[in-house]
């Protein structure tokens, strides 16, 4: 599930939610909502988030590669 993958990557990034939020220009509460599944980032934010965390958006979105 996307929420679980996103939560995993955020929590295992070694970065604080506050740091992630500041880098993306969003609130810390928004990052928390992503982790809880109450909200999902738009594609532009997801792209910036994955880039910041150094992870693949395909992995977060559960895209299977052939």
């Amino acid at each position: 599930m996307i929420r679980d993958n996103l939560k995993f990557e955020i929590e295992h990034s070694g970065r604080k939610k506050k740091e992630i939020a500041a880098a993306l220009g969003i609130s810390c509460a928004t990052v928390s909502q992503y982790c809880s599944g109450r909200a999902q980032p738009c594609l532009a934010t997801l792209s910036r988030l994955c880039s910041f965390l150094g992870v693949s958006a395909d992995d977060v979105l559960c895209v299977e590669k052939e």
Side-chain angles (χ1 to χ4, degrees):
M1 179 177 262
I2 295 170
R3 177 201 60 198
D4 296 331
N5 293 343
L6 195 54
K7 180 179 178 180
F8 177 84
E9 296 298 348
I10 289 171
E11 291 180 350
H12 289 88
S13 69
R15 300 180 184 257
K16 297 181 186 237
K17 291 178 184 174
K18 184 176 180 179
E19 179 184 0
I20 294 168
L24 298 178
I26 58 177
S27 71
C28 190
T30 300
V31 177
S32 293
Q33 288 176 349
Y34 295 161
C35 289
S36 70
R38 290 189 309 257
Q40 289 188 357
C42 68
L43 291 177
T45 302
L46 177 65
S47 176
R48 291 192 334 258
L49 176 60
C50 289
S51 179
F52 181 75
L53 297 177
V55 300
S56 167
D58 288 347
D59 292 339
V60 172
L61 295 172
C62 308
V63 175
E64 292 186 28
K65 298 177 184 174
E66 294 180 19

